[in-house]
Amino acid sequence: MGKFRASYAQIGKDASPYSTITGYSSSDQLPPGLTGFTRGSLLGDPALKPEFTDTFEAGLEMGFLNNRLGLDFTYYNSLSQDQIIAVDVSSGTGYRRAAINSGSMRNRGIELILRATPIRTGKFNWDVNLNFSANRNQIISLREGLTEVNYASQFGYANSTVTMRLVPGYAYGNLYGRSYTRYYANAADATASPVLDRSLPIVIGANGFPATNATQKILGNSQPDWIGGLNNTLRYGNFTFSALFDARVGQERYNQLGNYFSAFGIAKYTEDRNDTKVFEGVLANGTPNAKPVWLGQGVGPDGVNYGIGFYRNVQRGVSENFVEDASWYRLRSASLSYSLPNSLLKKAFIKNLSVSVTGNNLALWTKYTGYDPETSSTNAGSNVDGFTGFTYPAVRSFLFTLNAGF
């Protein structure tokens, strides 16, 4: 059995309160005992328009083997216009942020749900649910007069601050920052694309240390290539066991804590700061680098004064070192429960009784070097998801539950 579905919808979204006016907020800079107001930090726009999203969606639902095997597939294509965001503005305006209609963005993607019951017997049942989704987006246009919109940034030492920008023709969620200079046989190719090509050799300067770019490059993207989840439920008699795995794969994050650890010599890789090293790379003319340099501070064994050392002079000032693969796989939860047979409760005032134990956030598999790649430096609900580091990891918890019905 199967069915096909298709739909079209237009959804409107209003701005946050006070986005169309410039109001006042309470001041905390007055002497004790005095109450007053100051101009708000958000520059409102009286001409701000609602945001509209037009979405086309088509899907297919199918069931096989008496619904022991099922499929639900969806394709969608949406265009959001006059998107409302708050952007940073010069402090010379007297404000910190401004509410604007930034432009239009397209999202295309698929969603897939697979359901199966591999085993179904009198006492034992096994149900499996798999979900998968993938989305691709592109900034189509910006409001007139703008070539890009810087909608978020997070500090990094020595000019390694990472920014997130909206640029027509590129994806939402791109992370921009400083990188090591790469060698191009044709020098003109160095500025042909804003995307960093990590496969190219690093240029080593005349001082023996890696050279850095003065302009920011695209170092990664905060949006995952795909999201998935796998839920297994096994029932045997009055026992039920379930486990949920989920994953977000193909995303990057700026690890601000890693930047601080590098700057202050806390990261384990900085333990070689008293070593002499030849950096792998090429000179400006394309020949391999062979110059040894000391990584430490002050005057090295070779008599050269290295100042505050490699990790503070160079390493901490390169955003590329701290924009990491933040893909993860997680055992989100597992639960085991037992229900007391009704035959034992026939004469009792309790009609049903069950006990269960549940564990949440039980295991995490990731290459991310920070605490937890799922955490974010911004508030919940924010559209800024590329920064992490100075945040607590998700809590591992255990629950014991007793349920009784009367």
Side-chain angles (χ1 to χ4, degrees):
M1 296 291 291
K3 65 179 181 179
F4 173 81
R5 64 180 185 273
S7 66
Y8 168 81
Q10 184 180 71
I11 301 173
K13 179 182 177 182
D14 204 357
S16 301
Y18 311 113
S19 294
T20 58
I21 61 172
T22 300
Y24 291 87
S25 61
S26 59
S27 174
D28 58 0
Q29 302 298 317
L30 297 174
L34 296 180
T35 301
F37 296 89
T38 185
R39 184 162 49 185
S41 61
L42 180 70
L43 175 61
D45 182 1
L48 202 66
K49 295 183 290 186
E51 174 184 327
F52 285 97
T53 299
D54 296 272
T55 302
F56 167 76
E57 182 178 297
L60 179 66
E61 292 182 50
M62 300 189 72
F64 308 93
L65 305 175
N66 292 324
N67 280 329
R68 288 185 62 175
L69 182 63
L71 176 149
D72 189 335
F73 175 81
T74 302
Y75 167 81
Y76 62 86
N77 188 334
S78 67
L79 178 65
S80 299
Q81 302 183 79
D82 294 321
Q83 289 191 298
I84 303 171
I85 64 172
V87 298
D88 295 329
V89 295
S90 168
S91 58
T93 64
Y95 302 92
R96 294 176 55 192
R97 311 273 281 172
I100 67 168
N101 291 114
S102 60
S104 59
M105 179 173 70
R106 183 178 299 282
N107 282 279
R108 294 188 179 98
I110 61 170
E111 297 173 350
L112 176 65
I113 299 175
L114 295 176
R115 300 179 300 274
T117 304
I119 300 175
R120 181 185 292 169
T121 64
K123 271 196 163 186
F124 181 60
N125 287 337
W126 176 21
D127 295 319
V128 180
N129 283 276
L130 172 69
N131 62 76
F132 172 90
S133 64
N135 181 75
R136 299 293 180 267
N137 64 61
Q138 185 181 50
I139 306 302
I140 303 301
S141 65
L142 296 179
R143 64 181 292 173
E144 186 178 355
L146 294 178
T147 57
E148 64 178 44
V149 173
N150 183 343
Y151 66 95
S153 65
Q154 190 163 65
F155 173 78
Y157 277 105
N159 298 316
S160 63
T161 293
V162 173
T163 60
M164 302 186 74
R165 307 177 195 168
L166 305 178
V167 181
Y170 290 90
Y172 173 85
N174 279 341
L175 297 163
Y176 291 77
R178 292 184 70 190
S179 61
Y180 292 120
T181 303
R182 275 7 190 237
Y183 176 76
Y184 292 84
N186 181 1
D189 292 339
T191 56
S193 171
V195 181
L196 176 66
D197 187 349
R198 296 175 186 258
S199 67
L200 295 175
I202 294 174
V203 174
I204 307 300
N207 61 359
F209 291 100
T212 58
N213 282 320
T215 57
Q216 291 191 328
K217 290 275 193 178
I218 297 175
L219 306 178
N221 188 281
S222 65
Q223 301 298 298
D225 291 339
W226 60 269
I227 301 172
L230 177 65
N231 189 34
N232 282 274
T233 303
L234 296 93
R235 299 179 180 86
Y236 182 79
N238 292 332
F239 288 94
T240 301
F241 174 78
S242 63
L244 172 62
F245 294 85
D246 56 3
R248 291 175 71 94
V249 178
Q251 63 185 4
E252 284 79 36
R253 293 287 186 273
Y254 168 51
N255 181 4
Q256 189 185 39
L257 187 62
N259 179 266
Y260 278 62
F261 278 5
S262 173
F264 294 104
I266 300 173
K268 185 171 180 58
Y269 58 77
T270 65
E271 291 177 357
D272 67 356
R273 52 186 171 269
N274 288 319
D275 294 349
T276 297
K277 178 178 181 177
V278 176
F279 282 95
E280 183 178 348
V282 299
L283 304 180
N285 60 9
T287 59
N289 174 54
K291 182 175 183 177
V293 291
W294 193 52
L295 303 182
Q297 299 182 354
V299 178
D302 54 2
V304 176
N305 188 343
Y306 288 93
I308 57 176
F310 166 71
Y311 288 105
R312 292 180 68 83
N313 273 330
V314 182
Q315 165 82 10
R316 67 170 179 167
V318 180
S319 318
E320 174 187 346
N321 295 320
F322 313 107
V323 174
E324 304 181 28
D325 178 5
S327 302
W328 54 261
Y329 302 83
R330 192 183 297 266
L331 175 54
R332 179 67 64 182
S333 65
S335 173
L336 177 64
S337 65
Y338 175 75
S339 298
L340 203 65
N342 290 333
S343 59
L344 299 179
L345 301 172
K346 285 183 178 179
K347 297 182 180 181
F349 68 97
I350 299 176
K351 301 302 180 184
N352 54 74
L353 185 67
S354 66
V355 61
S356 65
V357 57
T358 303
N360 297 308
N361 192 34
L362 296 176
L364 172 66
W365 297 271
T366 182
K367 294 180 180 179
Y368 178 71
T369 63
Y371 292 135
D372 190 338
E374 194 178 10
T375 60
S376 175
S377 298
T378 52
N379 297 328
S382 170
N383 65 339
V384 178
D385 58 358
F387 308 138
T388 185
F390 281 95
T391 47
Y392 291 109
V395 174
R396 178 177 297 158
S397 61
F398 298 93
L399 305 174
F400 296 90
T401 307
L402 177 67
N403 285 317
F406 302 93

